[in-house]
Each structure stands twice: as structure tokens, then as C-alpha cells.
Amino acid sequence: MKAIKKNDFKTALEFFNKSVDFFTQYDWVDKYRAITLLSAAKMSYREMSLCNMAFCYSQTNEGEKAKDLYEQILKEYPDNGIAYYSLNSINTFSNKSD
């Protein structure tokens, strides 16, 4: 998150990718995050990291990667509002530039 605040989206992508890898490999840590991480967050850390990666792609002019990732997120997490609205925005702005 520090890298995002500094607008260093490439570095942020590296950290979020590591986070996704970790929580994919150790999904039990994320599943039981209320106990393991003392977090009551509704959204899993893996899901958050994927959303943050997609956001970083959108900030680095990699809109197609962002769009693909938001679509992947919605397949895995169909109720993810961030991915839904972000994808909707991408599609709206893409249609306006045609």
C-alpha cells in the first residue's frame, strides 16, 4: 500500500503478486483470518490482492490486463463489487473511445 501511495504501481504489483501467491499456497491462513491474522475483513486477503493488482494495471496503462483480471476475480468471487464496478467502468470508457 505504501508503493501505491507513492504512485509506484510497478513495485506495488510485485508485492500484491507475492501476496496472491502466499494466500493461494496457504489458503487456510486466509480462510481462518479471524484467528490467524486477527482480521474480521469480509473480503479475503487473496481477493483484496487481486483487486489491488487490477487497479495497479489500470494505473499503468495496462487496461486489458486490468480487465482480464477483474473478469477472473468475478469468476472466482462473483459478489465482488469492486471488480464488478471497475469492469463496468472500463467497458463504459472503452465504448466511448470507439
Side-chain angles (χ1 to χ4, degrees):
M1 294 310 290
K2 288 180 184 180
I4 285 181
K5 289 179 183 178
K6 293 179 183 178
N7 291 328
D8 186 0
F9 299 107
K10 294 285 186 187
T11 300
L13 272 166
E14 293 173 24
F15 285 110
F16 291 131
N17 193 39
K18 288 179 184 180
S19 181
V20 168
D21 290 346
F22 177 84
F23 288 113
T24 299
Q25 184 175 357
Y26 302 101
D27 61 335
W28 63 271
V29 174
D30 209 0
K31 182 177 181 180
Y32 300 108
R33 64 188 163 279
I35 298 167
T36 59
L37 301 171
L38 302 176
S39 171
K42 181 180 176 185
M43 190 184 304
S44 73
Y45 280 89
R46 183 177 183 281
E47 184 179 1
M48 282 186 252
S49 294
L50 288 169
C51 288
N52 287 328
M53 286 178 67
F55 171 76
C56 288
Y57 283 132
S58 70
Q59 298 302 303
T60 57
N61 295 319
E62 298 177 89
E64 202 55 42
K65 283 185 178 181
K67 182 177 177 180
D68 291 345
L69 191 50
Y70 283 130
E71 288 171 349
Q72 175 191 335
I73 293 165
L74 286 173
K75 285 180 186 171
E76 291 184 49
Y77 307 99
D79 295 329
N80 186 294
I82 294 170
Y84 176 81
Y85 290 109
S86 297
L87 187 58
N88 191 29
S89 293
I90 290 170
N91 288 334
T92 298
F93 288 112
S94 294
N95 290 338
K96 286 184 178 181
S97 63
D98 291 342

